[in-house]
Amino acid sequence: MAMSNITGSFQLMKSLNRSLVLNKIRSAGAVSRAEIAKETKLTPPTVTKLVGELIESNLVKESDMGTSKGGRKPVLLTINDRQFFAIGLDVGARKIRGVLTDLNAKEIVNDQVDLHKDISSDELTMLMIKMIKSLITVSNVKKEQIVGVGVGMHGIVDNEKGVARFAPSYHLREIPIKDSLKEAVNLPVFVENDAKAMALGELWFGAGRGFDNLICVNVGVGIGAGIIFNNRLYHGNNSVAGEVGHTIIDLNGRKCSCGSYGCLQTVAGGDSIAERAIRELSFGRKSLLMNKTSTRDEISGELIYQCAIEGDELSQDILSETGKYLGIGMTNMINLMNPAKLIIGGGVSKADNFILDPLKEVVSKKALTDEVKNTDITKSELEDRATVIGAVTIVLADLFTPDLLNLK
Amino acid sequence: MAMSNITGSFQLMKSLNRSLVLNKIRSAGAVSRAEIAKETKLTPPTVTKLVGELIESNLVKESDMGTSKGGRKPVLLTINDRQFFAIGLDVGARKIRGVLTDLNAKEIVNDQVDLHKDISSDELTMLMIKMIKSLITVSNVKKEQIVGVGVGMHGIVDNEKGVARFAPSYHLREIPIKDSLKEAVNLPVFVENDAKAMALGELWFGAGRGFDNLICVNVGVGIGAGIIFNNRLYHGNNSVAGEVGHTIIDLNGRKCSCGSYGCLQTVAGGDSIAERAIRELSFGRKSLLMNKTSTRDEISGELIYQCAIEGDELSQDILSETGKYLGIGMTNMINLMNPAKLIIGGGVSKADNFILDPLKEVVSKKALTDEVKNTDITKSELEDRATVIGAVTIVLADLFTPDLLNLK
DNA sequence: AGATTTTAATTAAGTGGCATAAAAATGAAA
DNA sequence: TTTCATTTTTATGCCACTTAATTAAAATCT
């Protein structure tokens, strides 16, 4: 299909403006009709009408009076955040987290459950359903008030079909999450890759606010990226976009779980951190890690973060090296996609700046032009809640900014 | 700015539909009003009206009658391709090519001029202006009939300002192409990086027709990519997007002109091909290359392509190796961006399949999922005209699909 | 304090551009 | 020749916006 296949119509016009107004209210927190008119370039009568409909549908409410600027006081409008709610699930390698939030993604209740490695598709689905039901029960919210369920799932996800194509942590394939949950709880369900959910979460509620073109990288055992163009998630042609962990940065590197050699993941993924520590220790290097563990298996990324913060030199060195490798991967990504902002999330958030600083240094040395050398790089603001809030955000995005222009 | 900041209005509605109709005519070649209505989901009266205005403005004309399907014969509409024209320039490392085409990008006249390595900004600009004027004179087209000038420029280009930020081939910086040309010829001027122009050219008139999400890679001395999302060029935050030649694939690789080590360009760029040949010859390997050259300096990419086609084993081996390295870079790009189509252009087009086959093989082995392993990869259809036709296409894109929705 | 000015929001009327319905044009098929 | 199918145009209506005028309410000026 060539072209921006968008047919202009009255519905489009109205939907566009409705979204515009709704989103202005959402992103501003509280605005008057007059200000909306000014900022959206809609006329006051139009804004009045649209706001009226939004109030009618209970999405928006009039709240306080604003301060006068020399005339009549403005009536401030806010999202009616006690009327509707959204549910988000973060289906990670070792546990499922869940939250039920209001329309500002403010948490009302949360829940979590541990997973075992050899869980089956049915068990997993069942746990998700159970959690959704529990969140609803505990929060004491009516089901009609819930606008949808978002799922941030690790691995390869087909977001259109709502299927987890491949979940490496439990070696499961083709889990029909959307269909299963939809049938069980009778709510709209959205399924998305965890890094993509995270990116959307950071865009709306975290470090990405105000940007419309960013990349958020989830560094854990795997390394995935969520790419945002024009305020929307970019999925690519087969929902595979963002697999930065499997970009090759070392032709002669070690074999990766994907079969290739020298993937970023093999030198900067969570497992590689622990392996590097074990190797260094076997060379006889001293470290706090020795005092805190009795067997090799106890050495984990988290522990190394902890020790680094406590001043352990080996741990710091390891994280620094990880940061450098990660920096290479990020530089490649920056040279290719030139995002306005790069957000680093996942376990790394816990590693203070031991990873981030060397990462930034590599980018500032190796990226191509002065402008991209200075790419704005920060760590996740939502930290370990990024994916679950991101999952909620998928639901909110559908509510607040429906994809009117059928951009893929 | 959060959100699809698009205000719905009557103008928007109309522009959207006007573009929709215009583009349907352009991409179909010849269609009836009825068919346009069917395909665009506009109503027949609306199409009649919009077509009337397009005919009025001389962009569209009624051509032949179509064949009846059991009723009145349809009147076929076509782009009025003898009324308006566009100019494209390809400012390469060693020469400038220019074309003047009709609105279907069909060449009317062309021109080219050689450049010397130490050319100045003023000289370069002067040559461009001279060529534009010459194209107009020779074609005998009135200046009012020319809708604009597009420039595909190698190196780093700021397309918004129309400035060539850095042109590595002649070590020039900050050439204000747009302003200079605009002043001299008094026509709308668009300046774009060569790979990006190429991508747009292939999208509209080459191997990319029918896709709305593709990457076109220009393999020459440098390796640049033009990224198309939603039928539009993606520039990134500083117009730097697409610099795949400077993505690092070999941590321990050779130093690149950019200062980093192991950039794709160092193992798959044009220079590396010649260097590899020289090295192999110095090891005493036999080759047609020996017969065709007297000094090392004569060994070039082109010559190697030629020898490979003539059956020279060494040349074939070298190209195969180049293809493998290029395949790594392409795999990384595919894993990151998951394009629907990958087009390989530049000098490589002349290398037959000696590069493309190993490239595809690497992708099919190393890309992450089955779907992306099978990414549609072909070589450029427009071949050495890709950039210059792409330059024309920038002008046409502005005419046919103005950026109504201010997507960046 | 009262009049004036400023800002906010609503009401009323007008307009642009698309849709629906019907008709005209034209040709194939019965 | 009549009937039917398809293409295109004409006439009318309607939707969602805009412009202009009005009401509301507060700050500032005299």
Side-chain angles (χ1 to χ4, degrees):
Chain A
M1 288 281 111
M3 196 41 299
S4 8
N5 288 315
I6 307 157
T7 310
S9 65
F10 294 99
Q11 293 102 294
L12 178 76
M13 214 196 305
K14 180 154 193 185
S15 312
L16 231 34
N17 291 340
R18 193 190 113 109
S19 292
L20 203 57
V21 170
L22 183 53
N23 241 280
K24 192 57 73 181
I25 297 171
R26 187 195 64 75
S27 60
V31 271
S32 66
R33 291 171 177 81
E35 204 177 331
I36 294 172
K38 242 174 256 161
E39 290 186 17
T40 61
K41 285 169 189 171
L42 292 167
T43 57
T46 303
V47 173
T48 291
K49 200 185 167 220
L50 290 172
V51 166
E53 289 172 18
L54 289 169
I55 289 175
E56 189 66 29
S57 69
N58 265 321
L59 269 173
V60 167
K61 66 175 184 216
E62 295 189 333
S63 63
D64 303 329
M65 294 299 231
T67 53
S68 163
K69 290 181 204 157
R72 173 174 173 177
K73 279 185 185 169
V75 178
L76 294 184
L77 303 162
T78 59
I79 295 298
N80 191 356
D81 58 14
R82 294 283 137 178
Q83 191 64 33
F84 294 111
F85 302 87
I87 290 174
L89 301 184
D90 168 4
V91 185
R94 277 170 275 176
K95 62 184 168 193
I96 304 178
R97 291 159 171 270
V99 292
L100 185 149
T101 75
D102 67 20
L103 295 187
N104 291 313
K106 213 182 80 186
E107 195 173 304
I108 310 291
V109 294
N110 70 58
D111 193 4
Q112 68 179 56
V113 60
D114 289 330
L115 302 175
H116 53 274
K117 287 248 169 192
D118 51 350
I119 194 166
S120 70
S121 289
D122 288 345
E123 268 182 284
L124 186 71
T125 309
M126 192 267 292
L127 284 173
M128 294 168 72
I129 293 167
K130 200 171 150 191
M131 185 173 287
I132 294 169
K133 289 184 173 167
S134 159
L135 287 166
I136 297 175
T137 309
V138 174
S139 65
N140 207 19
V141 158
K142 287 193 206 105
K143 205 168 141 195
E144 304 79 61
Q145 296 179 286
I146 294 173
V147 291
V149 177
V151 179
M153 173 80 200
H154 80 281
I156 309 269
V157 172
D158 179 332
N159 69 300
E160 286 182 19
K161 293 189 184 138
V163 171
R165 303 291 312 277
F166 177 47
S169 296
Y170 0 101
H171 301 285
L172 293 177
R173 288 179 187 274
E174 309 295 336
I175 318 172
I177 297 179
K178 183 173 178 172
D179 289 346
S180 303
L181 298 196
K182 216 170 175 177
E183 200 190 322
V185 300
N186 193 27
L187 285 169
V189 176
F190 305 86
V191 186
E192 193 61 84
N193 162 274
D194 58 351
K196 293 194 178 81
M198 186 180 263
L200 203 62
E202 292 287 341
L203 176 74
W204 281 49
F205 301 109
R209 271 171 297 188
F211 291 85
D212 63 356
N213 165 12
L214 63 81
I215 298 178
C216 178
V217 180
N218 185 14
V219 185
V221 174
I223 304 175
I227 304 167
I228 305 268
F229 292 140
N230 298 318
N231 284 300
R232 298 207 121 81
L233 274 175
Y234 173 73
H235 291 94
N237 193 49
N238 310 287
S239 310
V240 183
E243 289 294 344
V244 66
H246 296 286
T247 56
I248 295 165
I249 64 165
D250 184 2
L251 280 175
N252 305 303
R254 286 168 41 208
K255 189 165 187 177
C256 176
S257 61
C258 75
S260 292
Y261 292 82
C263 290
L264 179 60
Q265 199 160 306
T266 63
V267 289
D271 289 346
S272 77
I273 299 180
E275 282 164 25
R276 205 171 287 137
I278 290 166
R279 200 185 55 217
E280 289 293 325
L281 289 174
S282 76
F283 289 165
R285 236 181 115 172
K286 295 269 180 298
S287 165
L288 251 179
L289 288 167
M290 297 287 276
N291 312 346
K292 299 210 175 193
T293 57
S294 46
T295 70
R296 286 185 168 187
D297 293 349
E298 291 175 43
I299 294 180
S300 67
E302 273 81 18
L303 187 65
I304 296 171
Y305 301 152
Q306 191 51 45
C307 290
I309 291 167
E310 291 178 23
D312 181 52
E313 206 172 299
L314 173 59
S315 298
Q316 292 178 0
D317 288 352
I318 288 169
L319 295 184
S320 167
E321 205 180 332
T322 304
K324 284 178 193 164
Y325 284 124
L326 207 48
I328 300 285
M330 298 301 101
T331 304
N332 285 351
M333 217 168 58
I334 288 171
N335 280 339
L336 254 181
M337 311 218 260
N338 186 18
K341 170 122 191 162
L342 178 59
I343 300 170
I344 310 290
V348 178
S349 336
K350 291 178 196 145
D352 213 36
N353 287 327
F354 293 115
I355 287 182
L356 204 60
D357 285 344
L359 184 163
K360 284 181 182 176
E361 202 183 319
V362 168
V363 171
S364 72
K365 274 189 190 151
K366 294 191 181 279
L368 192 58
T369 70
D370 289 347
E371 285 150 325
V372 293
K373 280 180 205 295
N374 290 316
T375 299
D376 181 354
I377 304 175
T378 59
K379 65 178 177 181
S380 160
E381 264 183 32
L382 302 175
E383 305 198 323
D384 58 350
R385 294 170 64 245
T387 298
V388 77
I389 293 298
V392 165
T393 310
I394 303 166
V395 180
L396 300 181
D398 181 73
L399 180 70
F400 289 124
T401 65
D403 201 350
L404 303 167
L405 331 169
N406 48 345
L407 308 176
K408 252 196 189 161
Chain B
M1 289 282 107
M3 198 41 298
S4 7
N5 288 314
I6 307 156
T7 310
S9 66
F10 292 101
Q11 293 104 292
L12 178 76
M13 213 198 306
K14 180 156 192 184
S15 311
L16 233 33
N17 290 339
R18 193 191 113 110
S19 292
L20 203 58
V21 170
L22 184 52
N23 242 282
K24 191 57 72 182
I25 297 171
R26 188 193 65 74
S27 61
V31 270
S32 67
R33 291 171 176 82
E35 204 177 331
I36 294 172
K38 240 174 259 160
E39 290 186 17
T40 60
K41 285 168 191 172
L42 292 167
T43 56
T46 303
V47 174
T48 291
K49 199 185 168 220
L50 291 172
V51 166
E53 289 172 16
L54 289 170
I55 290 176
E56 189 67 29
S57 69
N58 264 321
L59 269 174
V60 166
K61 67 176 185 215
E62 295 190 332
S63 62
D64 304 329
M65 295 299 233
T67 51
S68 163
K69 289 179 205 156
R72 176 175 171 176
K73 277 185 185 171
V75 179
L76 296 183
L77 303 161
T78 59
I79 295 298
N80 191 354
D81 58 15
R82 294 284 136 180
Q83 191 64 30
F84 294 110
F85 302 87
I87 290 174
L89 301 184
D90 168 6
V91 184
R94 277 170 276 179
K95 62 186 170 190
I96 306 178
R97 292 158 171 272
V99 292
L100 186 149
T101 75
D102 66 19
L103 295 187
N104 290 315
K106 212 182 82 186
E107 193 173 305
I108 310 292
V109 294
N110 70 58
D111 192 4
Q112 69 178 58
V113 58
D114 289 330
L115 303 175
H116 54 276
K117 286 247 168 192
D118 51 350
I119 194 166
S120 71
S121 288
D122 289 345
E123 268 183 286
L124 185 71
T125 309
M126 192 268 291
L127 284 173
M128 293 167 74
I129 293 168
K130 201 171 149 190
M131 184 173 286
I132 293 169
K133 289 184 173 168
S134 159
L135 287 166
I136 297 175
T137 309
V138 173
S139 66
N140 208 18
V141 159
K142 287 194 207 105
K143 206 167 139 194
E144 303 80 58
Q145 295 179 286
I146 295 173
V147 290
V149 177
V151 178
M153 172 81 198
H154 79 281
I156 308 269
V157 172
D158 180 332
N159 68 300
E160 286 181 19
K161 294 189 182 137
V163 172
R165 305 288 314 276
F166 178 47
S169 296
Y170 2 103
H171 301 285
L172 293 178
R173 287 178 188 274
E174 308 297 335
I175 319 171
I177 297 179
K178 183 173 178 172
D179 289 346
S180 303
L181 299 195
K182 216 170 175 178
E183 200 191 321
V185 300
N186 193 28
L187 284 169
V189 176
F190 306 86
V191 187
E192 193 61 84
N193 162 273
D194 58 351
K196 293 194 178 81
M198 187 180 261
L200 203 63
E202 293 286 342
L203 176 73
W204 281 49
F205 301 109
R209 271 171 296 190
F211 291 84
D212 64 356
N213 165 10
L214 62 81
I215 299 178
C216 177
V217 179
N218 184 14
V219 186
V221 173
I223 305 175
I227 304 167
I228 305 268
F229 293 141
N230 298 316
N231 282 301
R232 297 205 122 81
L233 274 174
Y234 173 74
H235 291 95
N237 193 48
N238 310 286
S239 311
V240 184
E243 290 294 343
V244 67
H246 296 286
T247 57
I248 295 165
I249 64 165
D250 184 3
L251 280 175
N252 304 303
R254 287 166 42 205
K255 189 165 188 177
C256 176
S257 60
C258 75
S260 292
Y261 292 81
C263 291
L264 179 60
Q265 199 162 306
T266 63
V267 289
D271 289 346
S272 76
I273 299 179
E275 281 163 26
R276 204 170 287 138
I278 291 166
R279 198 185 60 218
E280 287 294 326
L281 290 173
S282 76
F283 288 165
R285 234 181 117 172
K286 298 266 183 295
S287 165
L288 249 179
L289 288 167
M290 296 287 276
N291 313 345
K292 299 210 174 191
T293 56
S294 46
T295 71
R296 285 184 167 189
D297 292 349
E298 292 175 42
I299 294 180
S300 68
E302 273 82 16
L303 187 67
I304 296 171
Y305 302 152
Q306 188 52 44
C307 289
I309 290 167
E310 290 178 23
D312 181 51
E313 207 172 298
L314 174 59
S315 298
Q316 291 178 359
D317 287 352
I318 288 170
L319 295 184
S320 167
E321 206 180 331
T322 304
K324 283 178 192 163
Y325 284 124
L326 207 48
I328 300 286
M330 299 301 100
T331 303
N332 284 352
M333 217 167 59
I334 287 171
N335 280 340
L336 255 179
M337 311 217 262
N338 186 18
K341 168 122 193 164
L342 177 59
I343 300 170
I344 310 290
V348 177
S349 335
K350 291 177 195 145
D352 212 39
N353 286 329
F354 293 115
I355 287 182
L356 204 61
D357 284 343
L359 184 162
K360 285 183 181 174
E361 202 183 321
V362 168
V363 171
S364 72
K365 274 188 189 150
K366 293 190 182 280
L368 192 59
T369 70
D370 288 347
E371 284 150 325
V372 293
K373 279 182 207 292
N374 290 317
T375 299
D376 181 356
I377 305 175
T378 58
K379 64 179 177 180
S380 158
E381 263 183 33
L382 302 174
E383 303 198 326
D384 58 349
R385 294 168 66 247
T387 299
V388 77
I389 293 298
V392 165
T393 310
I394 302 166
V395 179
L396 300 182
D398 181 73
L399 179 71
F400 289 125
T401 66
D403 200 350
L404 304 167
L405 331 170
N406 50 344
L407 309 178
K408 251 197 187 158

